[in-house]
Amino acid sequence: MELRQVRYFVAVAEELHFGRAARRLHISGPALSQQIIALERELGTELLARDRRSVRLTEAGRTFLPDARRMLSLADDAKRRLQRAAARSAPVRLGYVSWLPEDLTAMVGPTADLRLDEWVLPSHAQADRVAEGALDIALAWVTAGQAAERGLTAHLLRTEPLHAVLPGAGSTEPIAAQRVSVLVDADESAWSSWNRYAGEFADHAGARVVHIDDGGITGDAFYAHVRRVGGAVLASPKRHTAALRPSLGQRPVAGPVPLWTWSLLHRRDDDRASVRGAVQALLAVARARDWPAPPAGPWWAPADDPHLR
């Protein structure tokens, strides 16, 4: 007796119609009928009495139906338990945007089998992938609203003060926030998180907004924009692959300090021990290294930041 034949019988017994049962099971009517006949032959008794107009359970069919349902329930329970066990033992898939602790694997230790995802994508894309189950956890920037909409829990892993890049080198004195320009790129698919952050910072601090359309939030194009602006430009937390040019320098920003928060994201309903262990291990190391602490003095974060309000 095959489990699928038992499932087919229960469907026909509940529908009392071969056509409806076939559609429910996504198989053809003749194939369903053949499997029911094979089951009856193996059991040595007729389970269903059928004619051209109706289908009804025989006495044997009524006796067998509760047992058939129990068999299916046990099989489904066993499948769910195996799936949960497999999920607990599966690697924890971690995605990131730009910042990643250098000793990430050592931070987690034997608590979880951590696998770094090869797709380095923008914050909103990584948040979507966690929500959809393509990732288990991610290091990204989100607002409180974005986390809630996606059913995610956001833990503060690190605060990162942003600096400015400007022509000339040598001085390390902070530059006033209102003297800083921010770049906003036309490509929202790549830069929506940065654009939102930069726009809100400019509104708060009275900084100048410079609109670009070449992806120059980072890299050589960013340095070219700094030279074109001729003044201080706020650097995004996106790590630059190009080295800082000798004609340019970095300075901290003050009054207030623009603060970027890195969230450790996971699905709110994900209770797997491996994910819970990875999250707890990362947060413990972050606290020990004082990563979540904001800097001294006035600082700024967006109004919908999930951590610092």
Side-chain angles (χ1 to χ4, degrees), residues 54-230:
S54 66
V55 177
R56 66 183 187 278
L57 287 165
T58 64
E59 184 63 32
R62 285 192 291 272
T63 300
F64 181 60
L65 182 57
D67 292 330
R69 285 172 170 154
R70 278 193 293 273
M71 279 188 271
L72 295 179
S73 178
L74 286 170
D76 290 342
D77 287 345
K79 181 180 178 180
R80 284 192 290 270
R81 284 194 296 273
L82 285 173
Q83 288 174 335
R84 285 196 296 269
R88 286 193 294 270
S89 62
V92 177
R93 300 159 299 176
L94 182 144
Y96 71 106
V97 178
S98 60
W99 174 71
L100 193 69
E102 293 181 2
D103 55 347
L104 181 66
T105 303
M107 288 172 64
V108 176
T111 307
D113 180 8
L114 200 62
R115 300 291 174 87
L116 189 62
D117 189 78
E118 61 184 11
W119 294 100
V120 179
L121 297 172
S123 284
H124 67 276
Q126 298 296 46
D128 286 341
R129 295 179 72 209
V130 175
E132 295 162 0
L135 294 173
D136 300 309
I137 56 178
L139 300 177
W141 181 90
V142 294
T143 65
Q146 289 170 334
E149 289 167 4
R150 291 163 174 78
L152 302 178
T153 296
H155 304 276
L156 178 59
L157 195 71
R158 182 190 175 197
T159 59
E160 181 177 352
L162 302 185
H163 64 269
V165 176
L166 68 168
S171 175
T172 58
E173 286 295 312
I175 188 166
Q178 62 267 29
R179 293 180 53 200
V180 172
S181 296
V182 296
L183 303 181
V184 171
D185 196 273
D187 185 0
E188 281 288 316
S189 65
W191 299 107
S192 64
S193 295
W194 171 253
N195 286 349
R196 179 171 183 167
Y197 180 96
E200 290 190 31
F201 175 71
D203 288 343
H204 177 84
R208 174 190 175 197
V209 175
V210 178
H211 294 276
I212 62 173
D213 59 5
D214 60 356
I217 305 298
T218 186
D220 282 325
F222 173 77
Y223 298 135
H225 285 301
V226 173
R227 290 191 292 271
R228 180 171 62 84
V229 169

